[in-house]
Amino acid sequence: MRGPRCLAREGLTHGDLTLGSILADRRGKLALRDTGRAFAYFSDPSDRFAPADDVRALAELVHLIVTGRSPVPMVSASILNPAVPEGFARALARALSEDPAERGHISELGAQLRR
C-alpha cells in the first residue's frame, strides 16, 4: 500500500489509519480510502501525530489482518499464525515498538514486509 508512504514523502502523516480507511480490490490490492487527517509534521516530538504513529497504526492493521487478532505484547505474529514468515513477524514487531524511534520509516516497513 503506497498511500502512507506517499503522504510521508510529502511531509504529511495520515493520523487516522484504521480498517475503515483501507479498501481492498478483488485481487487483494490495498489502497487508502482517504487521506485521514493529513497533518503536516515537523521534527518536534510534541507533534500531535508523528510519522512513527502511522507506522505503528499500519503495523497494527497488518497484524490484525494476518493473525485475526490485535497485537499481543511479546507474542510474535508467527506464533499466532504459523503461516506468517518469521521475517515478516520481526518487521511487524519492530513497527509495533513502544519506542517511536525504533519503528523506522513507513517505507522501511513496506520493504521489510514485501521480502
Side-chain angles (χ1 to χ4, degrees):
M1 184 167 52
R2 297 180 313 181
R5 185 180 67 220
C6 291
L7 286 171
R9 194 172 38 231
E10 295 300 319
L12 301 170
T13 184
H14 189 277
D16 192 29
L17 287 172
T18 64
L19 284 176
S21 62
I22 298 175
L23 299 173
D25 68 14
R26 289 187 175 130
R27 293 173 288 159
K29 184 176 178 182
L30 302 178
L32 279 179
R33 188 186 83 197
D34 56 42
T35 56
R37 297 180 182 142
F39 288 100
Y41 63 84
F42 305 96
S43 59
D44 183 353
S46 67
D47 282 345
R48 186 168 169 202
F49 295 100
D53 297 326
D54 277 355
V55 172
R56 183 174 174 100
L58 184 58
E60 288 173 352
L61 291 173
V62 171
H63 189 284
L64 179 64
I65 291 166
V66 301
T67 68
R69 297 177 169 183
S70 295
V72 177
M74 306 302 292
V75 178
S76 171
S78 62
I79 297 294
L80 298 172
N81 178 355
V84 173
E86 192 55 43
F88 190 99
R90 279 193 303 273
L92 281 180
R94 176 181 177 214
L96 291 167
S97 173
E98 289 295 323
D99 181 357
E102 291 181 12
R103 295 180 196 153
H105 190 272
I106 198 118
S107 62
E108 293 172 3
L109 175 60
Q112 292 170 349
L113 295 179
R114 284 189 293 275
R115 287 186 192 157

